[in-house]
Every structure is written in C-alpha cells, then in structure tokens.
Amino acid sequence: MDPSQLLKGVLDLAVLAVLREADGYGYDVLRRLRQAGLEDVADASVYGTLRRLFAAGALTTYVMPSEEGPHRKYYRLNKTGHELLAQSTKTWNNFADTMSVLLAEDAA
C-alpha cells in the first residue's frame, strides 16, 4: 500500500494537529509533519493545504519579520479550525477503530 495515497486523505487533519500545538509558517509546518513521521509529505501538498484551510475559514494568518530572509506568513488555528480539528479527530478515531477491528488477526 502506498502511504502517500493514505496521506492525501488525512493531510488536512495532520496540518490542523500541527497548528494546534503552535502557529507556524509553511516550511515550519512541513518540517514538523516530517519530524512526526510523515516523511513522504510533499512541499506543494502542505502549502496547498494551508491555502485551502485558510480559504475555508479554518486558519488566520499574520506576517512576521525574519532575520534569516523574507518575512514569513504564519498560520494560526482559529475557532472554526479548532472545531474542524475536533470533528475530524472524531471521524478519524472512528475510522481507525473500525479498521483495527477489521484487520485484527483474531477477527476471522
């Protein structure tokens, strides 16, 4: 099974979870996802997800100066984002529980 196909379905949830811990700019979110074990996540997928979640009203943004280069656009989870994260977490947990039962060796 190709993990990148699974990742497409849950990238929104993963990005929301990362931003729940702390605000972040695009590359920072990408780095934190990879540190969490999602090494196959593509740069463009993360940036596209951030833009889509922002357009959906789940994130707010602000710009911070950087001593290392150009200003950085930070993303923050807002009330809608927290609600979406809670709803998506519940959906994921129900799905994961169902799959665990289906895949259990003792289930047969």
Side-chain angles (χ1 to χ4, degrees):
M1 177 176 287
D2 182 1
S4 66
Q5 295 301 313
L6 293 172
L7 186 56
K8 286 181 182 178
V10 296
L11 188 54
D12 285 12
L13 177 58
V15 167
L16 290 169
V18 164
L19 290 174
R20 176 188 55 202
E21 300 300 321
D23 300 352
Y25 54 93
Y27 184 74
D28 176 57
V29 171
L30 176 66
R31 180 185 53 79
R32 289 158 55 191
L33 288 168
R34 288 180 175 162
Q35 283 179 341
L38 301 176
E39 294 93 5
D40 294 334
V41 67
D43 298 20
S45 296
V46 172
Y47 289 104
T49 298
L50 288 167
R51 285 191 298 272
R52 190 166 23 77
L53 289 170
F54 175 74
L59 305 176
T60 56
T61 64
Y62 57 94
V63 176
M64 293 287 293
S66 171
E67 294 178 8
E68 301 168 6
H71 296 338
R72 291 178 173 155
K73 185 177 184 179
Y74 277 75
Y75 293 88
R76 172 183 293 157
L77 221 58
N78 59 24
K79 181 181 176 190
T80 301
H82 281 284
E83 291 169 355
L84 180 59
L85 176 60
Q87 179 185 18
S88 297
T89 298
K90 184 177 178 181
T91 300
W92 170 257
N93 287 334
N94 288 338
F95 178 78
D97 289 347
T98 300
M99 288 304 297
S100 293
V101 170
L102 285 173
L103 297 174
E105 291 184 24
D106 294 338

